Amino acid sequence: MSTKLIIDTDPGVDDAFALALAAHSDDVDLLGVTSVFGNVGLAATTRNARRVLALCKRGDVPVAEGAARPLVHPHPHVAKYAHGADGLSGRAAALPEPERDVENGGAVRLLADLLESSAEPVTIAAIGPLTNVATLLAARPDLHDRIDRVVIMGGALLHGNTSAAAEFNIWSDPEAAARVLGGGEVPCVLVPMDLTYRCAVSTEWLDALASSGPVGAALNALTPDYLAHYRKALGWDGMVIHDAVAVAEAIRPGILTAEALPVSVETSFGPARGATVVDQRRPELRAETEVPGGGSTARVAVDTDLDALRVFLLDRLTLR
């Protein structure tokens, strides 16, 4: 059976890989894509999503524009240092022009319409700030049972990348993340950067992608700024495709090993703002020392077969 999937995204190089992964998967019914601010501003993320879909010849997939800012507080930071000024290493204009117009009504309306019209529960892959998803959950509680699960690329167990404590997607809108992860309204799978860093791909992997055909070559061409950033972050010649790891789990449940753990999001204005606090203590100890506000339970991805995952990603991305 195919996975009914909506992707909420802020492209971003790794988002482009994630979109192509879903667009190329025969076992995915890609119902729609919604954009959100994040790696670059909203106009750029929306354009980038539409151009990646055009590259993959998926003009059938509707795209709607979502939130341009967080729920509560201004957003002072984008990730141009990793993704380039246009979000795609300065190479967005090299992608095909979009094949269809942006949908009227915005992201939350498209999300709601797609959930209402689907005969089966839908997976939402949330691979940017969680503003659109939080707004949907607040506005349409009647649709919670139409969501199979929300697979979230975000958070960190050990240390962050935007700050010492916080990962970029969660840090970008902590209040939205607290609503989605802490509300207990829909099942959530959190794919933190601790695991996605371990899933990093080498330049040899990228060379194989580039030689696979026009789509692989075009995706590889988006990576120079991103690759330069991750050479410094990793200390070796490779890069991390965070969002593609999360979408792999959305497509094939269980490709990542996950544990049910309490998760809270820090929303105060201290140095830990945007941190995901994941309680990894033994259940017996958690029960013995339970305190109020311990967080709702989410499934947190903690491991995978790294080689098998990289093969899965390359196989799907090199389909022609």
Side-chain angles (χ1 to χ4, degrees), residues 258-280:
E259 298 177 2
L261 296 167
V263 179
S264 300
V265 179
E266 179 58 61
T267 57
S268 67
F269 283 91
R273 178 169 171 78
T276 43
V277 182
V278 179
D279 193 342
Q280 295 180 278

Side-chain angles (χ1 to χ4, degrees), residues 134 137-138 141 144-145 179-180 182-187 296:
L137 295 181
H144 292 177
D145 62 354
R179 173 62 192 255
V180 177
E185 297 160 323
V186 294
S296 295

Side-chain angles (χ1 to χ4, degrees), residues 115-134:
L115 292 173
E116 286 181 321
S117 61
S118 177
E120 303 164 19
V122 175
T123 298
I124 299 175
I127 55 176
L130 288 165
T131 316
N132 293 336
V133 179

Side-chain angles (χ1 to χ4, degrees), residues 84-236:
D86 66 354
L88 298 176
S89 295
R91 289 160 169 80
L95 295 177
E97 288 296 320
E99 297 181 8
R100 65 184 290 168
D101 293 335
V102 174
E103 301 297 303
N104 293 325
V108 174
R109 178 174 176 177
L110 179 62
L111 286 162
D113 288 348
L114 293 173
L115 292 173
E116 286 181 321
S117 61
S118 177
E120 303 164 19
V122 175
T123 298
I124 299 175
I127 55 176
L130 288 165
T131 316
N132 293 336
V133 179
T135 304
L136 171 74
L137 295 181
R140 294 298 305 269
D142 57 308
L143 295 177
H144 292 177
D145 62 354
R146 309 303 300 273
I147 299 171
D148 183 50
R149 57 185 188 148
V150 181
V151 181
I152 300 163
M153 191 283 120
L157 283 67
L158 189 59
H159 63 80
N161 57 358
T162 299
S163 73
E167 176 276 332
F168 178 82
N169 285 344
I170 305 299
W171 177 90
S172 293
D173 195 341
E175 286 78 15
R179 173 62 192 255
V180 177
L181 283 163
E185 297 160 323
V186 294
C188 291
V189 179
L190 185 69
V191 183
M193 58 173 278
D194 311 71
L195 179 57
T196 59
Y197 258 81
R198 291 173 53 209
C199 301
V201 297
S202 66
T203 51
E204 289 79 13
W205 188 96
L206 289 168
D207 289 343
L209 176 66
S211 65
S212 68
V215 173
L219 289 172
N220 183 63
L222 304 177
T223 64
D225 289 359
Y226 194 72
L227 185 58
H229 170 77
Y230 276 103
R231 284 192 183 106
K232 292 181 286 187
L234 292 168
W236 54 275

